[in-house]
Amino acid sequence: MPAETGVTTHVSWPELAEIVGKEHLSAADTTDAIDGVAPQMVAEPGTDEDLARALRWAHGAGLKVAPRGGGTKLGWGNPPASCDLVLSTSRLNSCLEHAWADMTVIVEAGCRVGDLQKALAEHGQRLALDPLWPERATIGGILSTNDSGTLRVRYGSLRDLIIGITVALPDGTLAKSGGKVVKNVAGYDLAKLFTGALGTLGVIVQAIFRLHPLPRESRSLSFSGTLESLNQLLLTIQASKLTPTGLQLQAEQGSAQLDIRFDGTAAGIQAQVKQVQQIAGSVPGADAPASVWASHQAIWGGAVPALVSKFSVLPAQFAAVCAQVERVAEAQSLAWKVVGQSVGAGYARLEGNEQALRTALLTMRDQVARMGGTMVGLGCPVAVKRGLDVWGPPSDAQSLMVRVKQRFDPDRTLNPGRFLGGI
Amino acid sequence: MEAGILNEFRAIVGASGLITEREELSTYECDGLTMFRVLPLAVLLPTSTEQVQAIMRVCHREKIPFVARGSGTGLSGGALPVANGIVISLTRMNRILDVDLTNQRVIVEPGVMNLNVTARVASDGYFFAPDPSSQQVCSIGGNVAENSGGAHCLKYGFTTTHVLGLEVVLPDGSLVHLGGQTLDHPGYDLLGVFVGSEGTLGIATKVILRVMKKPEVIQVLLAAFNSTNEAGAAVSGIIAAGMLPAAIEMMDNLAIQAAEAAVHANYPNCGGLLLVELDGPAPEVETLMEEVADVCTKCGAWEIHVAQSDAERARVWKGRKAAFAAVGRISPAYIVQDGVIPRTALPQVMSEVVRLSSEVGLRVANVFHAGDGNLHPLVLYDDSVPGQDKLAEKLAGDILRLCIKAGGSITGEHGVGQEKKMFMAEMFAEPDLETMQLVRCAFDPENLSNPEKIFPRPRLCGERPGVYEPHPLEIAGVAERF
Ligand SMILES: Cc1cc2nc3c(=O)[nH]c(=O)nc-3n(C[C@H](O)[C@H](O)[C@H](O)COP(=O)(O)OP(=O)(O)OC[C@H]3O[C@@H](n4cnc5c(N)ncnc54)[C@H](O)[C@@H]3O)c2cc1C
């Protein structure tokens, strides 16, 4: 992999040590590499200001910087064109203000999702999102990757929950947008811009979220059947007056199931369970353990080389996507599995050799695009990534996106090459 | 305006789509905030995306600033024309293009009225959730630009939650698609940035909306309190009990009087009136409604009533939605403000408002989206009394400062527009505003699209060319450069 710059030989690292503290700057080891691209150093600043100063210093020194939270999703995206310094948010890990009566929280980017949820639960509240690997993933990380889970059906994704953000830009600017009130249209919504930007515009140092009450009671059911019948059931449920907080379709070779979750008062849940059983008709749903809602995470696990791609289609197209995945998998002799949420987004996992995975990704992506959807090779062995853009083909908004990147990070200091179309 | 350019415009939109007569232009000189008025050079009424593009290409070539306009109901001067520019009115682009109820999507042109979306899907049991009080007359394009809210946004979210995709003409006339029918489009969430950008980043020519299924049961409760403080305590109690009502609205005595005078909503005459709407499965609504009533009683409600029929529910809401206009019945003139505060700051901010209003000697009527802390203080004044308009303006401004001080915002749904741009510098620090303007410079480096709005000072978008560095994919010949 050719490096973008060759400046890294004359770097004065002691200057950075001065900014972040000697004990918080260390030499990188192999575990710090991103898709095989090894940084030289890892810095862990202890305050927003220090992080901004460190970033500014790195930018001034012509270094390429990879921001890092829990490191759970560093493999997402294209391999970086170059990486000299990992800027870790691990010490920016406090929950700064839980205004429980206002149902908002101000939290630092390095706070782990699980830790935040624990603190919020003390007042019966939560961030209504169940992203991947909450015990390790940080707020900054889930924001930058726009991760979401099964609660999305009811509460939306991070863009619907974040109400304020503070970011550090490569020139050292610390900027805020939004605030700590739920309703606020003053100025541009930079929180949305930075959500899903994969750390290519700036480093998120703080976020403010609206919160929701923890459910009083919860009950889940699973239905089994053919893929087509379950997709139909999903649409019928969506068109009904039921208000599930989870509605998920799972499919693999020879089996499929639909999971549904109701939260609320005991009486409300009971009535809805009765209704959904009526809707389902001859094949009643069986009570399901809470662990069915970890399926979107379980699909990432496994020893053999695998490709986990994220797809997004219309809810009515689920069965069709699964059929495509199955066809492609069979053609390449790959094992497959799909877990999708009723909003139309999901993961498809394929297992097998790298050449086959690569062909499969390209074929599936084409087919999903023909359906009007998108497919991204998120969990992708490096060998599979070579020579392709995991994000898929750029849209007609690509040059606008590049202009945005150029305004925020004109010298491509941050995560160069990892994002769509080489951004 | 030069005859040559006018001819060019006429060739694009036809003679009936071009307005240049002073008399007719004056219809467009202001929006719902009538204290600012500017006559544009011309108004163009395109009927297609291609026409919008053609107009904007001319504007770009000639450096003519333009202002998009929907129905002109905005309350912050967002659609206020610029003197040396044109207005592009989207009212003739008012077709509903596609309805896909299976996937809960509706595609519309920007000139479609908000309520017409719901009207189109209601017979199938669906609705479009954002419900500004002006929904009978305001356009989807305006809603997108302002990220408009409404009473039911407490539970369902604002316009931005319900817009999945946009077709946008950029200020140079090029066409881009942001978001789409499906979620999570790869790349930056420019859709999220465009919604709420008040017409400063380009013009939306197609909008993909999400519609929702109507809940099984909807019930609204009215509770009468002696004061807004008591009513406010009830709001906190409801939230603390872990409920998320569809809407919680509050009115003070002056606002109640106005609403009564205008639409006879049958509200109790009290110091603080709460409307709480719950929706969902019937048994759930039933249980929670009892809890809401309990909380209200504990907080001092002396009359509690649950609207029994759809007709009664409609009347209750009519009073609330008519509140702004109704204030005209009790005052010759008034200013509407739109500040937001953390819900818990309500008692303290309200008592400050009372203090300020008595100091100045002007009445303030209060209508709130109480659930999310969005205040709509209405500062009443008499425009025939010299100087009173200035006093009212100052009082309205001081109320916004209270909101900022309480950790809130200067606008919850009406936008910054022309009216509140000076307050942006009080709410945000310079680096915040500079950073926001980076977005503007990426979309509109020439500053042509609704210039002079939102920001206290325009930023000069000097080129900041990135150092050209070929991406490995590019070298490999796989991906094209940017
Ligand atoms: C009585 C009354 C009650 C109201 N109640 C509410 C309420 O409850 N909640 C609320 O949020 N608002 C409310 N409003 C404010 C107003 O109705 C909303 O802001 C509405 O969304 C404006 O829509 P419009 O079509 O009138 O837009 P306009 O006023 O014409 O324009 C508003 C802004 O949108 C821009 N714009 C318009 N169309 C486009 C387009 N296609 N592309 C890009 N930019 C565009 C304009 O340039 C301008 O900046 C109320 C107004 C009135 C008069």
Side-chain angles (χ1 to χ4, degrees):
Chain A
M1 186 72 41
E4 285 208 354
T5 55
V7 292
T8 48
T9 42
H10 314 290
V11 179
S12 172
W13 294 106
E15 288 175 11
L16 181 59
E18 197 128 301
I19 294 171
V20 299
K22 238 199 330 250
E23 61 283 26
H24 303 299
L25 179 66
S26 52
D29 62 34
T30 49
T31 62
D32 297 307
I34 302 175
D35 282 342
V37 179
Q40 299 184 44
M41 302 293 273
V42 177
E44 299 177 295
T47 66
D48 298 1
E49 289 79 18
D50 285 355
L51 186 144
R53 284 167 59 212
L55 180 56
R56 180 190 152 117
W57 171 86
H59 174 236
L63 303 178
K64 301 298 173 190
V65 177
R68 185 172 80 190
T72 56
K73 297 179 285 288
L74 281 180
W76 289 18
N78 298 315
S82 173
C83 177
D84 304 306
L85 171 67
V86 166
L87 204 47
S88 163
T89 55
S90 59
R91 290 169 69 219
L92 298 171
N93 58 5
S94 306
C95 171
L96 298 174
E97 180 186 317
H98 178 197
W100 60 270
D102 291 317
M103 301 188 81
T104 57
V105 67
I106 307 178
V107 59
E108 289 187 307
C111 181
R112 289 172 202 284
V113 176
D115 293 343
L116 175 66
Q117 299 286 30
K118 249 177 249 145
L120 300 176
E122 283 175 27
H123 288 281
Q125 297 178 354
R126 65 172 167 183
L127 175 64
L129 189 92
D130 51 345
L132 297 169
W133 311 299
E135 298 316 317
R136 287 185 295 142
T138 62
I139 292 300
I142 61 167
L143 279 170
S144 295
T145 51
N146 186 26
D147 194 17
S148 65
T150 69
L151 285 166
R152 180 165 190 177
V153 174
R154 173 69 160 273
Y155 299 99
S157 58
L158 279 161
R159 76 197 294 283
D160 303 301
L161 300 171
I162 188 165
I163 57 174
I165 200 164
T166 307
V167 296
L169 303 187
D171 67 2
T173 302
L174 271 175
K176 284 185 200 295
S177 112
K180 55 181 191 176
V181 284
V182 168
K183 203 170 177 183
N184 183 0
V185 295
Y188 295 148
D189 194 341
L190 297 185
K192 288 201 178 66
L193 180 63
F194 276 76
T195 299
L198 205 75
T200 58
L201 297 176
V203 181
I204 299 170
V205 295
Q206 227 179 68
I208 314 181
F209 295 102
R210 70 175 297 189
L211 303 173
H212 286 84
L214 280 167
R216 297 184 182 190
E217 318 246 347
S218 182
R219 188 169 161 194
S220 301
L221 300 178
S222 294
F223 297 86
S224 51
T226 65
L227 197 50
E228 289 70 25
S229 68
L230 292 176
N231 197 165
Q232 193 47 53
L233 179 56
L234 179 151
L235 295 176
T236 312
I237 290 169
Q238 260 186 359
S240 74
K241 308 253 179 201
L242 294 168
T243 57
T245 60
L247 185 57
Q248 165 179 277
L249 199 60
Q250 304 193 49
E252 59 191 314
Q253 184 64 47
S255 81
Q257 79 180 61
L258 181 78
D259 311 308
I260 189 165
R261 175 179 55 214
F262 296 108
D263 292 340
T265 61
I269 291 173
Q270 202 186 350
Q272 296 207 70
V273 166
K274 204 167 140 205
Q275 277 179 43
V276 77
Q277 297 285 29
Q278 270 165 9
I279 290 173
S282 56
V283 192
D287 269 295
S291 60
V292 293
W293 303 108
S295 305
H296 71 295
Q297 181 173 307
I299 199 171
W300 286 82
V304 283
L307 162 75
V308 179
S309 26
K310 174 177 173 173
F311 63 83
S312 184
V313 294
L314 291 171
Q317 295 171 324
F318 260 123
V321 168
C322 293
Q324 301 280 21
V325 173
E326 179 168 27
R327 212 166 306 142
V328 169
E330 271 172 7
Q332 303 285 330
S333 314
L334 302 166
W336 67 280
K337 182 168 170 52
V338 170
V339 176
Q341 309 307 315
S342 66
V343 290
Y347 297 128
R349 178 185 178 94
L350 294 177
E351 291 176 354
N353 79 59
E354 280 160 355
Q355 191 48 47
L357 291 178
R358 190 192 162 80
T359 311
L361 174 60
L362 292 173
T363 317
M364 287 189 305
R365 196 157 86 183
D366 267 4
Q367 286 164 348
V368 171
R370 227 167 286 146
M371 295 163 67
T374 57
M375 182 173 259
V376 176
L378 272 190
C380 203
V382 188
V384 177
K385 291 183 183 182
R386 289 237 162 80
L388 59 80
D389 187 331
V390 299
W391 301 99
S395 73
D396 61 7
Q398 182 68 15
S399 59
L400 179 59
M401 290 187 195
V402 170
R403 293 204 293 278
V404 171
K405 166 75 173 177
Q406 285 174 342
R407 292 284 167 184
F408 280 81
D409 181 19
D411 300 319
R412 292 164 55 79
T413 299
L414 290 160
N415 276 340
R418 283 182 68 194
F419 206 39
L420 176 66
I423 288 179
Chain B
M1 179 165 283
E2 273 175 49
I5 296 173
L6 278 182
N7 283 339
E8 228 176 315
F9 282 151
R10 196 172 294 114
I12 296 167
V13 291
S16 68
L18 178 69
I19 298 174
T20 52
E21 294 298 325
R22 207 190 154 80
E23 210 117 285
E24 281 180 83
L25 286 178
S26 65
T27 311
Y28 297 88
E29 70 182 353
C30 66
D31 62 4
L33 183 69
T34 53
M35 66 168 136
F36 298 111
R37 290 170 193 268
V38 171
L39 220 51
L41 295 178
V43 175
L44 281 79
L45 298 137
T47 55
S48 69
T49 300
E50 293 71 28
Q51 290 186 3
V52 174
Q53 281 187 277
I55 296 166
M56 286 165 74
R57 276 192 212 108
V58 174
C59 287
H60 188 249
R61 190 190 72 213
E62 302 293 331
K63 307 287 170 262
I64 300 169
F66 57 86
V67 177
R69 182 181 172 103
S71 306
T73 67
L75 292 173
S76 56
L80 179 75
V82 280
N84 57 343
I86 63 165
V87 165
I88 301 176
S89 163
L90 284 312
T91 47
R92 290 188 181 172
M93 292 177 66
N94 60 357
R95 290 175 303 166
I96 294 180
L97 299 172
D98 187 43
V99 177
D100 169 9
L101 289 181
T102 308
N103 294 300
Q104 311 192 338
R105 311 283 196 263
V106 174
I107 306 180
V108 302
E109 290 184 326
V112 169
M113 298 298 157
N114 172 299
L115 201 55
N116 285 354
V117 178
T118 294
R120 178 64 178 270
V121 297
S123 60
D124 292 295
Y126 289 87
F127 71 111
F128 178 57
D131 60 338
S133 304
S134 50
Q135 68 188 139
Q136 294 190 347
V137 287
C138 66
S139 74
I140 292 295
N143 295 170
V144 166
E146 303 289 7
N147 187 16
S148 297
H152 293 83
C153 291
L154 177 62
K155 178 167 180 180
Y156 293 111
F158 315 101
T159 298
T160 187
T161 308
H162 302 276
V163 173
L164 301 175
L166 287 176
E167 176 186 89
V168 170
V169 181
L170 295 179
D172 63 4
S174 60
L175 197 67
V176 294
H177 293 82
L178 309 179
Q181 295 250 29
T182 57
L183 304 175
D184 295 348
H185 270 241
Y188 297 130
D189 184 5
L190 300 183
L191 171 71
V193 176
F194 191 93
V195 177
S197 62
E198 305 192 24
T200 60
L201 302 180
I203 295 188
T205 48
K206 248 179 227 146
V207 189
I208 304 175
L209 303 172
R210 187 208 322 260
V211 289
M212 302 180 68
K213 194 75 187 179
K214 255 176 78 178
E216 182 184 328
V217 170
I218 308 174
Q219 277 193 9
V220 60
L221 167 146
L222 272 97
F225 298 84
N226 282 329
S227 68
T228 52
N229 274 359
E230 285 180 359
V235 175
S236 296
I238 292 166
I239 301 287
M243 289 183 256
L244 182 60
I248 311 182
E249 299 284 303
M250 198 198 294
M251 293 163 84
D252 73 359
N253 189 262
L254 216 46
I256 294 167
Q257 282 179 32
E260 275 303 304
V263 299
H264 310 293
N266 253 344
Y267 291 155
N269 188 3
C270 61
L273 178 71
L274 216 54
L275 309 185
V276 183
E277 187 163 292
L278 295 180
D279 65 15
E284 177 134 345
V285 171
E286 205 173 298
T287 318
L288 295 182
M289 211 34 130
E290 279 169 25
E291 290 186 31
V292 169
D294 268 358
V295 172
C296 289
T297 309
K298 286 206 185 86
C299 293
W302 45 263
E303 185 181 323
I304 290 177
H305 176 72
V306 178
Q308 294 304 330
S309 62
D310 280 357
E312 196 187 353
R313 201 173 73 82
R315 191 170 67 230
V316 166
W317 277 112
K318 194 171 167 201
R320 165 59 190 88
K321 295 206 170 181
F324 290 178
V327 165
R329 303 272 181 136
I330 59 167
S331 173
Y334 60 93
I335 297 175
V336 187
Q337 273 304 358
D338 181 38
V340 193
I341 54 172
R343 204 165 29 227
T344 46
L346 191 67
Q348 170 218 335
V349 170
M350 278 306 292
S351 63
E352 283 286 294
V353 170
V354 169
R355 187 181 60 78
L356 286 174
S357 106
S358 62
E359 264 177 32
V360 182
L362 292 178
R363 295 181 299 167
V364 177
N366 284 291
V367 184
F368 316 100
H369 300 300
D372 41 31
N374 189 188
L375 314 178
H376 286 312
L378 297 136
V379 180
L380 314 187
Y381 68 100
D382 186 346
D383 45 358
S384 66
V385 179
Q388 224 178 63
D389 53 343
K390 291 283 166 249
L391 270 185
E393 240 175 86
K394 173 155 189 318
L395 176 55
D398 286 342
I399 293 175
L400 289 189
R401 293 198 174 92
L402 286 178
C403 296
I404 297 174
K405 216 171 93 192
S409 169
I410 56 175
T411 174
E413 53 184 19
H414 296 169
V416 177
Q418 172 73 16
E419 184 199 23
K420 291 185 282 284
K421 58 187 194 179
M422 296 324 273
F423 289 93
M424 284 293 277
E426 296 188 38
M427 180 168 164
F428 291 106
E430 197 57 40
D432 306 338
L433 297 176
E434 285 279 307
T435 303
M436 288 178 196
Q437 297 240 41
L438 295 176
V439 175
R440 159 124 215 180
C441 290
F443 277 78
D444 182 21
E446 315 267 3
N447 202 25
L448 296 174
S449 191
N450 208 4
E452 299 170 21
K453 307 289 164 66
I454 304 183
F455 298 103
R457 274 176 304 283
R459 182 184 212 279
L460 290 179
C461 303
E463 280 308 305
R464 294 178 67 173
V467 181
Y468 180 82
E469 295 161 285
H471 183 268
L473 297 183
E474 218 185 333
I475 296 167
V478 178
E480 276 177 44
R481 175 81 182 172
F482 293 152

